[in-house]
Amino acid sequence: MAAYTVQTVTEAGVVPTYTGVSASDTFTPATTDYDKTHILHVKNAGGSSDSVVIDDTLSLSNAAGATSYNPDVTVSVVNATERFIRLTPIRRYLQSNGTVIVTNSFTTSVTAAVFVA
């Protein structure tokens, strides 16, 4: 399991640090940043697509008549591409311990970073 460090982007800029992903990763937003948008940047330099899933713990219901519901955010990052994924509000994704869980279906040559401004 990798733990991403949330990196703050300021007017002076930020030198980004990327972490190699694992099947299940986490990051912990600062409580003072709960009202700010977080960006998950996933780079896939590998040979297969990575299905990135951000666990949504807050949305509890579905439309009337539905038989199943999974509000998690799933983004496909195909090989040799990258994606910026907006996570707002971040409270939607917080686990009871204050972390956000990100899972990856493919991990070879995949890196990620989380930013807040």
Side-chain angles (χ1 to χ4, degrees):
M1 176 182 286
Y4 311 144
T5 299
V6 179
Q7 301 168 68
T8 302
V9 180
T10 66
E11 289 83 3
V14 64
V15 177
T17 301
Y18 290 83
T19 302
V21 305
S22 61
S24 181
D25 300 328
T26 62
F27 66 91
T28 306
T31 55
T32 54
D33 291 339
Y34 281 0
D35 293 322
K36 297 178 181 177
T37 297
H38 289 68
I39 302 292
L40 173 63
H41 184 199
V42 180
K43 297 180 175 186
N44 183 354
S48 296
S49 291
D50 179 18
S51 181
V52 179
V53 179
I54 301 93
D55 188 27
D56 178 338
T57 62
L58 199 56
S59 301
L60 300 175
S61 63
N62 196 9
T67 56
S68 65
Y69 183 66
N70 187 347
D72 296 348
V73 171
T74 302
V75 176
S76 180
V77 184
V78 298
N79 57 306
T81 67
E82 53 191 87
R83 293 285 182 269
F84 287 94
I85 304 165
R86 182 181 63 141
L87 303 174
T88 190
I90 199 65
R91 282 182 178 87
R92 172 181 172 188
Y93 308 101
L94 291 176
Q95 304 295 309
S96 60
N97 64 359
T99 64
V100 175
I101 296 175
V102 180
T103 59
N104 298 278
S105 65
F106 180 74
T107 60
T108 304
S109 300
V110 179
T111 58
V114 177
F115 302 96
V116 65

